[in-house]
């Protein structure tokens, strides 16, 4: 089964360990980006994974391509051109100190791409699924138009579409994002969202009676109502929800929900100790796409997605380097974490 | 506003990560020392921060100076001469294994300094505050005399004085320390101390009824009585207290109190996961000096100091690399530690 | 007092920190192996520790020898020859992600050793104790025969024998292991085992009434019955038990028990945060051997063994780099983990 | 154009920089092997490059595959199975100290492969060229038979065959090698050899009159006679020769010759300062295969091959990370090595 | 004596050692840029060195500032604002492999600066010298105008001006550069140029009779004529020339000349083995400015400049970390490079 | 055969690669010192090598001991006590930039040792040779007396004595050194010296006619006369000379001479490219002691010594990690430095 993902692949520059920026003269230099992270996960799960973006021809652009090829992602549809690979600087937080993310992604090759750069009909040849996130239209320029082109082409070819708003306040305003995303929603078969984004971007909220602000807890009935509103208002068949509680920079609790139009399925909760927080949501997206594509039942699908996400938090870098076996083992209830020898 | 700090700046040699000494052939080589840590914090908070010490002219001495200059500390008052930069070897503890600190600081340039090396009248020109700790007179030689010279000069010029006993058993005996510090106390405007040092060095203790040894907890009333005793006995206007509970080498709980002569203000407690324990107290000192100097109310001042200290525990090295904004955000109650992007 | 240990010393290749295999191009390359880890611990505790194995003459074999010599282990009885140093690849787990261990130890010099390679009478000259583990006969070839040779020679010379089954499913089947170990048990003076191995290898189990599967807790009476069964059935004078609960890859709880033929002594429990899980059991073995050899009382002996094991979890690499003082301090109740300065 | 290469891909473990083995606890862990190095070069030159070998399914085997995929090598024909990835330990020499290479490659997956593992007809589908080296039959087991199978299948499908004896004294004797290679020579279209191997393996030598042992120099006429003998005796259409003078471990002089059946073409000489000596010959092989496949004239072809080899000496690791442009620039005479900015 | 320099300070990202780009996941992350390199050298020589540029307020911009402060450069005139710190990626060449430089400096804070950002009258307060290079006007936007503003203000205040064309083909065309620089030349008191730039940018060339292209050598008479032409044509009082021969990426020969309006002074030649080629010219500029400012005679001045440049080639990073003593020792003829102990 | 060496073992702190001091926050932390380097070489050559010094009991002192034990040096005669391990900071030079050595060795345990610390009669039990260098009496305190004690004890027990003046201007004056060494010379059986030290310390010089200052060359006849003078004046039976020419910090030429009382034997010259210059002389001393002890003829002995020294220059750190086989291979004329595979 073939999945196409589209977005920006960035150079990620991070101090080693828990150093603050430039505390010494070394940086960990890897690549990552929301949809690329999904593409790598899917290739690792054994699917035919094609990633689409635009990258310069120089050595930095080539290294970005190579970083995907190593995982078996098909990069033959990557457009080459432009001047810059977008960059993000990441400083990992710890305890009470929050992570810091500085974007230097303006003027990147993909941010300056044109609609003509992408022949979506050819790209979706043989594809079963198309995934992208709200970061991509947020890049500005022609990106919203390009995303719409892609959605239309996908719809015509019967390719399922999943979308994760992934709102980034450093890229665009809520108003701008909301307006853009509402143009995209009609094409979406699977929306992956959280409570805050549902409220802020789409005005879909949980009834106050189902929300306890003091304990920061929401009832499943609350989530069900939220999903139903989405289904009613935007005719989206499937909605997935992620729930995260942040105890400290390195300790979170995560959970997932999947609504199939009638029922809300809730996963186990995981208390995760964090090696790398970035890509936790992308790992969830990839896990869910994989699980639905291979035909898992809703409960198993949401368990797989959350287990994939939980494992990502223990993996350094943007990419989720875990196998289907590892995810199944955790989703199946074996979280003993004993040494296998 | 200008603050002068005085003490020893050492070369700090530490195995990387949680290696024991010489487990491999690399060491993290940085600089640090109680008062220098305070000076760096204050410069980072935007104050005019002048550090006074004595360091050799060779490359190691110069590197020590450079380490301060990078943060904007004024090093023009550093005396150059002598042979050695003092060294301390630090091995970080973890879980049940305690940190190990080996001093190799005898015969350092500052330990062999003379009273004539320092022209305190010139040094305090334009200064508002003078801070030093008990480690400095503990170095022996003429250091106690030099500290007294500094205190007298400060007093004459109306410069406020803060003092942190920072007792180090590896440097001098309790008797010796107690005697020396009692000579210094009359000059002190702000004393920063903890329960154990108050008892052992100055014989000021908490009434047994306010202390529960089983739970290792002390009531605020107990702390208030302790402060009052100091005020009565030594005429010190302001007293700050730090309280630390050690659950393991990498998990502590910290809290701070400030007594303004009438009322005891207690900060929030923080359960800190530790990247680097050293300098946690110095960060508190700097936070408090900053907060009082810019005129914060006592409750806000103690919250700022403890938040600065909490953040330090997540920063590698002696120096506290955090900004006023970061401290304010935590002190203000936002400890979500979410990625900002 | 002199202790002889016998087993395989391997090259251990591990990604740095919490990287997955080959996430970058560096590996931590050290040496380790169950009995060698015991030998290093014992030398560190000040005993005369002799390690016996077979290693190639080339630079990799020599480096293995040197790794022991640095700790003062007597390597003059190491046989040199063969082609390979066995290798194990270790990827450390974190949070929900389990550690991964890949063995590449077949065809190693020791696995291909002959009974004639070892002159046990000469090796045990002046020895007080002989320790080996079930990993060694698991290597196949002539190793079971060699272990039996060693046991017989030890018995003849009045050398005490301790044995830790250390069952490794990747090396041999339960049936094979059980059969081999039952041949070795008659020689054993101290058996170190856990509940699962007692059951699976020797059919010795805890009465259901003393075991609560829901809470994963066993009563001391249950452990006592288990030990008594061993004593009755196999005439083993002393039995030590280790109990481990795994909360996550980096957080475990450990405890130890010692049965001296009449009474079961139970140690304190330690909740350990883990730097390196490997060698935790070997550190326990070494701690117990040391404590019994120098004549500690049973309760003190088991406290020493478990404290040594607890500390090992905070030490990187296979070898337990801790001193008697450090173990005594923890076993004696001081687990404050404060910086000593 | 599509090239198939076949051989062993090993894990390469090397101390960093110029450290001797185990001088510290880190090793550079990468992958490499004669024919794999050729495959990577060819993919980097833009050809369709397929690599064939057998590798285990575990994480080490997968990392070996990934190391090739990153360069765009087609690994879909790699057979998965067996237990071990072969290993070689490499210690780089410097000045008078020679490099040390320790093989630990016995019992590897490929060394234990069966002829049935490889369906050469399918593998050579659409292929233009097949390359392998003498290291592969040297691995023993069924490898000579497998190589012969491959040669026969290639010949039947009209695929050109190049062969580099690459004699390794640590793998087999001269007699054994000579006998095996003589079975392979009849299939070879391009033989890449040096003077010493021509003499020792095939008894083809340079007339004494064309060889000056004192100066270690051979005339071009001497090389021409050597090639002619090969052509006459073994009916090999094209012969390439490499000539290396070793001044020190890090300074060599290299040159190449190509004989097209009538004329001997000699390249420029390069005095190379060496970052990594390993793979220098493989880079030459790849350069020559590329140049001949795309139809370069003999003189240009040999210049390209030697320039590719010269550049490899400046690249860390087995793989030659250089582009066609970089090789052309050097082969074309621009060796100014100025910074391009 | 006070020198002001003006230009762009960039983040420099370079693989460690001689790795090619992204050969592993680490990069050396430091700061540098032509004029900033001059400023650091001058501060290291003990002059009052003020650097002017524009940098963002975020952590990357702050780290750039801190990198200068560590050396004692006065950064109080750095304007804070804009979004990006310019970046250059550097891959060091070796032997026949050339260094690669990839610029990612468009849209940087300084490239988008406005003339009003800089109050040159205030900046030049107390200044004796102003230095900038051709890279700065090459950044486009208002930079040429800003440079002209600076030159006029300097001239008015009697501040001497030195200029190094430092032509970068990746930033602008020869035509564009030539036109811009001719506007700047009238203000220049000291022009630092090489033969190629003199010819290409200003049409000033060496008579053919004084140039031997085969040996790549030019006579001193040739250089003298070139300087005289500059003096005649552009009324520049002093001209310095640098001569570099590139034998390989890591071995060059350098020499310098100084023309004081009447005589050409030629320095010793140095054959330099290179640790880091970047900044070699900036070190020359700084050495010459220092030597002329403190009043050295022309011969001593040019010797100092070239010795400073020679030493820079042995120092990692853009900044030249050498002292006046070290330069004097080499310039004075002691190049024994023996260990001092 | 057993050799005893005596001196100071220091902690050596060096920036990695060719960084200047504190250019980043890492230092290579190893151990070394003239006589300890000799002891390690001798153990590596297979002799029974005992090293005598005084070291503190703390972890730094223990690590120093362990560094010797790893090589098989007998450390049972090391006295434990005192406070400090001496330190030397080393910055490697390159090209025209000289290496920098900063001593921080005053007040070390050995420098404060007492004559009663060492029971030379017991230490020399079974010994054949005693070696020490002029650095040891240079440490001051009782060291000259201790060295004299050792010499007397050695003489009484028939232990041969070798001495290398190893003059260090940073430790004592020429006058002081000369006076001390003249007291030691009467005990010396083998003096290892160079031309400059012979002249400056002992007033023994080469006739002007045999010395060409312009070419920096001395005739063998000149060296012979120098040796004869020593023999005549100080009755030293054997004299070895080392000759070093320094072309740059990383390229030297070395040669050795041995005078047996009648004839001067001259070794081959080696042009060495340097990884680490420190310990080159110690490697020579060890090579010569080994060669003479096992009874090599004078010509073979001096060849062995110089080859050992040449190889040391390619080995990182103070210790010479080479085997007898490697030295013999080079001394025997095979300096091809080809990869062995």
């Amino acid at each position: 089964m073939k999945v196409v993902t589209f977005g920006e692949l960035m150079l990620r520059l991070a101090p080693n360990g828990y150093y603050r920026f430039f505390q010494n003269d070394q940086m960990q230099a890897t690549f990552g980006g929301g949809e690329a992270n999904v593409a790598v996960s899917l290739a690792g799960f054994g699917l035919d994974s094609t990633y689409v973006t635009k990258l310069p021809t120089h050595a930095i652009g080539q290294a970005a391509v190579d970083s995907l090829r190593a995982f078996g992602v098909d990069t033959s549809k990557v457009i080459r051109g432009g001047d810059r690979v977008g960059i993000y600087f990441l400083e990992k937080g710890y305890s009470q100190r929050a992570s810091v993310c500085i974007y230097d992604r303006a003027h990147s090759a993909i941010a300056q791409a044109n609609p003509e750069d992408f022949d979506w009909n050819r790209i979706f040849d043989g594809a079963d699924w198309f995934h992208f996130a709200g970061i991509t239209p947020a890049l500005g320029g022609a990106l919203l138009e390009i995303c719409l082109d892609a959605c239309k082409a996908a719809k015509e070819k019967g390719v399922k579409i999943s979308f994760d708003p992934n709102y980034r306040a450093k890229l665009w305003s809520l108003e701008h994002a909301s307006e853009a995303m509402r143009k995209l929603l009609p094409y979406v078969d699977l929306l992956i969202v959280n409570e805050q984004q549902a409220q802020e971007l789409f005005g879909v909220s949980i009834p106050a009676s189902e929300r306890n602000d003091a304990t920061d807890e929401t009832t499943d009935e609350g989530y069900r109502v939220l999903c139903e509103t989405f289904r009613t208002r935007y005719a989206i068949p499937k909605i997935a929800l992620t729930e995260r509680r942040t105890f400290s920079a390195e300790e979170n609790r995560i959970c997932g929900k999947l609504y199939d139009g009638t029922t809300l399925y809730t996963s186990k909760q995981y208390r995760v100790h964090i090696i790398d927080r970035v890509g936790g949501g992308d790992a969830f997206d990839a896990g869910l796409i994989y699980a639905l594509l291979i035909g898992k039942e809703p409960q198993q699908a949401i368990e797989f997605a959350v287990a994939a996400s939980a494992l990502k938090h223990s993996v350094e870098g943007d990419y989720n380097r875990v196998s289907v076996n590892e995810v199944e083992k955790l989703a199946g209830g074996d979280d003993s974490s004993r040494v296998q020898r």
Side-chain angles (χ1 to χ4, degrees), chain A residues 261-279:
Chain A
T262 49
T263 312
L264 184 88
Y265 300 86
T266 296
S267 80
K268 281 197 292 282
Q269 289 184 340
Y270 295 93
R271 194 167 185 105
V272 290
H273 291 90
I274 301 177
I275 292 289
D276 197 319
R277 162 78 184 79
V278 180

Side-chain angles (χ1 to χ4, degrees), chain A residues 213-289:
Chain A
D213 284 336
T215 61
D216 199 21
E217 298 293 342
T218 298
T219 65
D220 270 3
E221 175 56 19
Y223 284 123
R224 206 192 50 75
V225 171
L226 183 148
C227 292
E228 217 163 68
T229 313
F230 264 110
R231 192 181 52 104
T232 314
R233 216 181 279 175
Y234 298 102
I236 302 174
K238 280 203 176 70
I239 295 147
L241 296 159
T242 57
E243 186 192 67
R244 177 182 298 271
R245 294 293 170 263
T246 301
F247 306 117
S248 75
E250 83 281 11
E251 190 172 357
N252 288 186
R253 196 194 68 203
I254 60 170
C255 179
K257 324 266 173 182
L258 177 61
Y259 178 73
D260 66 354
T262 49
T263 312
L264 184 88
Y265 300 86
T266 296
S267 80
K268 281 197 292 282
Q269 289 184 340
Y270 295 93
R271 194 167 185 105
V272 290
H273 291 90
I274 301 177
I275 292 289
D276 197 319
R277 162 78 184 79
V278 180
D282 308 320
F284 176 87
D285 294 2
L288 193 56
I289 293 168

Side-chain angles (χ1 to χ4, degrees), chain A residues 8 22 41 49 55 83 110 127 172 283:
Chain A
E8 175 167 29
F22 295 95
S41 270
S49 173
L55 284 167
D83 296 321
I110 181 70
W172 54 357

Side-chain angles (χ1 to χ4, degrees), chain A residues 4 68 70 123 129 134 138 158 184 186 215 217 273 304-305 322 334 338:
Chain A
V4 174
L68 297 175
I123 290 168
W129 196 286
L184 294 163
T215 61
E217 298 293 342
H273 291 90
F304 189 91
V322 301
D334 179 357
R338 284 165 178 270

Side-chain angles (χ1 to χ4, degrees), chain A residues 62-85:
Chain A
Q62 187 58 43
V65 170
D66 294 353
S67 79
L68 297 175
R69 289 203 299 201
F71 292 93
V73 173
D74 177 1
T75 60
S76 63
K77 301 296 184 298
V78 173
I79 309 303
R80 304 302 293 270
D83 296 321
R84 299 195 67 218
V85 175

Side-chain angles (χ1 to χ4, degrees), chain A residues 86-107:
Chain A
I87 295 177
Y88 85 98
F89 295 91
L90 177 70
E91 182 189 270
K92 281 192 201 171
Y94 197 81
S95 202
Q96 281 81 16
R97 179 167 58 78
S99 291
V100 180
C101 177
I102 298 176
Y103 283 139
D104 178 16
R105 58 199 293 188
H107 316 289

